[in-house]
Amino acid sequence: MKLTLSLILFIALVPAFTSRVVAQEDKEEAPGATRSVDDLRTQLNEVLAKEAALKARADQLEEDSKPENIERSLAGIGSTKPEELRESRRRQLNIELEGVRKQLAILSTSRERLQMVLTTAEARAYQQSAAASDQALAAQNVNNSRWIVVLALAALSVLAALAALVVVRRRAL
């Protein structure tokens, strides 16, 4: 009788433990999505930092391009053709400013793309998190129902043992 009860309990408990292992494996997949979101946020912050640095450089170049600042920067340089020297400096600053503006346009496009990808990745991470949560709840419900079945089987086994004991005692009388 004890052997039968032990086997019933063993058979009922094995599925309960295996469902916990499956639920833990599902939870391990979610950090990948979170890691992806964190990587995208880091990339976005790097792009924003580069963009801020380039904007500061563009502002500086615009300030340096003003005629009075060009003249001040060339004040210590003697030349027989100061107008050509000032024009050359102005062109040089404008070329550099255009380069910085092109880099800013590229970074702006990259920032917008990263923001869209980040939004998508955050939504995907949220969905995976919600799905993992739903799976955990389902696994918990399965475990709860398994315990109810185990307890019901144990109660039936106890009742069967008591019935057998009653039958044995009546025969003995």
Side-chain angles (χ1 to χ4, degrees):
M1 186 67 181
K2 286 183 182 180
L3 179 64
T4 306
L5 181 60
S6 298
L7 282 173
I8 290 172
L9 285 175
F10 178 75
I11 291 170
L13 291 177
V14 168
F17 290 121
T18 57
S19 66
R20 286 189 183 151
V21 171
V22 170
Q24 287 174 352
E25 288 173 359
D26 290 341
K27 287 180 184 177
E28 291 173 2
E29 292 175 12
T34 305
R35 194 173 307 120
S36 173
V37 168
D38 291 341
D39 291 345
L40 288 170
R41 282 189 182 135
T42 302
Q43 288 176 5
L44 182 60
N45 288 335
E46 289 171 1
V47 167
L48 290 172
K50 287 178 186 177
E51 196 172 21
L54 283 173
K55 282 181 181 178
R57 180 66 181 144
D59 291 343
Q60 182 63 45
L61 287 170
E62 286 176 2
E63 184 66 27
D64 290 349
S65 295
K66 292 181 179 178
E68 62 270 11
N69 291 332
I70 290 175
E71 201 156 319
R72 261 191 234 128
S73 70
L74 298 175
I77 300 173
S79 173
T80 57
K81 298 179 181 177
E83 190 58 40
E84 289 179 11
L85 196 57
R86 284 191 293 268
E87 183 61 29
S88 172
R89 178 70 179 148
R90 186 187 59 74
R91 275 185 275 143
Q92 180 186 16
L93 290 171
N94 283 338
I95 289 170
E96 190 174 348
L97 182 59
E98 286 305 311
V100 168
R101 285 180 179 158
K102 286 178 183 177
Q103 288 178 342
L104 276 170
I106 291 169
L107 282 176
S108 177
T109 302
S110 178
R111 177 181 39 83
E112 290 170 0
R113 181 187 54 81
L114 275 171
Q115 287 173 334
M116 288 189 305
V117 170
L118 178 61
T119 303
T120 304
E122 286 173 338
R124 189 176 330 113
Y126 176 77
Q127 289 170 349
Q128 286 179 353
S129 172
S133 177
D134 288 347
Q135 288 175 352
L137 287 174
Q140 185 178 8
N141 287 341
V142 167
N143 286 338
N144 290 343
S145 62
R146 285 183 182 157
W147 280 112
I148 291 171
V149 169
V150 167
L151 291 175
L153 289 174
L156 285 174
S157 299
V158 168
L159 287 175
L162 287 175
L165 186 61
V166 168
V167 169
V168 169
R169 283 199 174 194
R170 283 193 181 178
R171 285 187 186 171
L173 293 176

